[in-house]
Amino acid sequence: LKKVGVFSTEINNMGKGMGNTMDMRQLEYFLTLCEQEHMSSTAACLGISQPALSKSIASLEKEVGVQLFDRHGNYIRLNDYGRNFSEYARKALNELRMGLVQVQQTRYDTCGEVRILCHAFADCIMDCVLAYTDLNPRIKVSIRQSDYPGGNLSESTDFILSTQNEAFMVSEDKQIWTPSLLFSEEHKILISPRYRKYPEEVTSLDIRDLKEDRFIVMPDISVFYSDMTYKLCQLSGFAPKIFCQTEDFLSKIRFTDAGKAICILPECNLRIARQLSPDLQTFSIQGFQTSRTLYLMRRQKSLMSEAALDFWEFTMDYYHAKE
């Protein structure tokens, strides 16, 4: 499983005539591709290269003995074999996940509280937090989605989730914040068919072509966060026409879904956006570097609680991160 690579459990002898082994990562890739039906967007969602995803799917199909998808360029469609296999794959993967949780829970008995201040959308790290609390049900998690209001930050926070290495901004006289890179991702344009319908083969857009469109943006008031929309429009030679400014993710997606305006979001937000609005169209951005990097910053280890240290070590394994 992506980000849970600490587990290397394999599923042996699934199906007749399979000479190799089918691992959990292959099934995870396959099921994600079943949902997206697009190689490049699935690879981006999984955080792997498209060739690596193609190789994994080809290996899986070779092992199963049939093609699971019908190919149409970069787009693919699940065929009857794939739909049949996906039902069993999903059940098997869920059972294995439950088994792993049960086994791993016996290794963890940490209790206490983990406090995270988010200068990025909290859902960016939610998969990691959920995986950790599955193994540590006695842990209390406190997540705040706000700017640092002043006072003694070290007394109220164990970690800071940030879209940049902002250690110099929050360091105090006797408190140094140590950052670790979690992952990097691109930004995407989201447009509802109720706003404008694009042909299926259109997968990227030029910001300059959106000069007359209306945008939903974050208020550009935080020293810790700047909405990518402002920067991209400025580089394209115009100021964005703002339909709404909001810090509320649900409001942003509701407005976008209703066709009131368009928005730009980082990739880690796309899963929830699609759950809220399944028919939103997603486009890459032409001509600009739109990547951002997520960091998690911690206090000095000598000042961290047992729960905070345990969460930090789990998070570093989860993202394969290095300080």
Side-chain angles (χ1 to χ4, degrees):
L1 285 172
K2 178 181 180 289
K3 302 178 183 175
V4 197
V6 66
F7 302 132
S8 60
T9 303
E10 293 184 330
I11 308 170
N12 294 312
N13 301 322
M14 290 186 64
K16 296 181 180 180
M18 296 182 185
N20 300 314
T21 57
M22 188 180 303
D23 61 34
M24 294 179 67
R25 184 176 289 106
Q26 272 186 308
L27 294 181
E28 179 75 12
Y29 291 176
F30 166 69
L31 292 173
T32 304
L33 189 56
C34 288
E35 296 174 359
Q36 306 249 357
E37 293 193 328
H38 191 277
M39 293 297 291
S40 60
S41 62
T42 300
C45 179
L46 292 168
I48 62 174
S49 67
Q50 186 171 330
L53 175 61
S54 298
K55 182 178 179 181
S56 176
I57 297 302
S59 175
L60 179 62
E61 289 180 323
K62 181 179 179 180
E63 200 164 339
V64 174
V66 294
Q67 284 197 345
L68 303 172
F69 297 92
D70 294 327
R71 272 72 172 176
H72 303 283
N74 202 29
Y75 286 87
I76 60 176
R77 292 289 181 268
L78 199 64
N79 60 30
D80 290 340
Y81 293 117
R83 278 187 286 273
N84 189 34
F85 180 72
S86 67
E87 295 180 10
Y88 292 96
R90 187 171 287 106
K91 291 176 183 178
L93 196 57
N94 287 338
E95 289 294 322
L96 283 167
R97 285 171 173 162
M98 291 174 61
L100 287 172
V101 169
Q102 293 297 320
V103 170
Q104 292 295 319
Q105 277 185 348
T106 62
R107 298 174 52 197
Y108 291 87
D109 58 359
T110 304
C111 59
E113 183 178 10
V114 173
R115 304 165 300 176
I116 307 171
L117 174 64
C118 296
H119 292 156
F121 186 42
D123 193 64
C124 298
I125 199 173
M126 193 56 65
D127 283 347
C128 175
V129 172
L130 289 171
Y132 181 73
T133 53
D134 280 344
L135 300 176
N136 297 272
R138 298 171 64 189
I139 287 289
K140 174 185 176 182
V141 178
S142 173
I143 298 178
R144 288 192 294 125
Q145 184 87 46
S146 65
D147 286 337
Y148 172 44
N152 192 337
L153 182 61
S154 62
E155 291 183 357
S156 61
T157 302
D158 297 307
F159 304 102
I160 301 173
L161 178 68
S162 169
T163 57
Q164 58 184 337
N165 184 348
E166 62 188 40
F168 69 97
M169 295 184 186
V170 297
S171 294
E172 304 169 49
D173 291 340
K174 297 181 180 180
Q175 177 64 66
I176 303 299
W177 292 86
T178 301
S180 181
L181 188 156
L182 300 185
F183 61 91
S184 297
E185 62 180 354
E186 299 294 326
H187 284 73
K188 302 289 184 180
I189 302 169
L190 273 67
I191 301 180
S192 168
R194 284 166 286 284
Y195 184 88
R196 183 186 299 123
K197 178 69 175 178
Y198 286 87
E200 190 177 73
E201 61 269 18
V202 177
T203 59
S204 63
L205 297 175
D206 190 325
I207 289 291
R208 292 171 294 184
D209 295 333
L210 306 177
K211 182 177 181 179
E212 300 303 321
D213 288 295
R214 296 164 296 171
F215 290 86
I216 305 167
V217 297
M218 292 274 291
D220 198 24
I221 57 176
S222 172
V223 67
F224 299 112
Y225 179 81
S226 178
D227 194 312
M228 179 68 75
T229 307
Y230 300 104
K231 178 181 178 180
L232 290 173
C233 292
Q234 181 181 28
L235 291 173
S236 299
F238 66 94
K241 295 182 178 180
I242 307 301
F243 169 78
C244 174
Q245 288 185 326
T246 178
E247 295 180 350
D248 181 62
F249 180 78
L250 179 59
S251 297
K252 177 178 285 192
I253 300 304
R254 289 291 301 275
F255 278 131
T256 304
D257 176 67
K260 299 298 183 181
I262 65 179
C263 69
I264 297 175
L265 289 177
E267 287 176 321
C268 70
N269 296 161
L270 298 185
R271 181 180 60 183
I272 290 184
R274 291 191 180 107
Q275 289 175 351
L276 296 171
S277 179
D279 59 353
L280 281 178
Q281 290 186 277
T282 305
F283 305 92
S284 299
I285 299 172
Q286 298 174 6
F288 292 105
Q289 171 59 255
T290 66
S291 65
R292 71 168 187 172
T293 301
L294 272 292
Y295 292 87
L296 188 67
M297 296 189 292
R298 63 163 173 81
R299 300 192 294 145
Q300 297 178 35
K301 288 186 175 180
S302 61
L303 301 177
M304 294 171 69
S305 66
E306 179 185 358
L309 278 170
D310 191 62
F311 177 77
W312 178 261
E313 292 173 358
F314 178 89
T315 303
M316 295 302 99
D317 284 339
Y318 189 86
Y319 290 102
H320 307 291
K322 296 181 179 179
E323 294 184 45

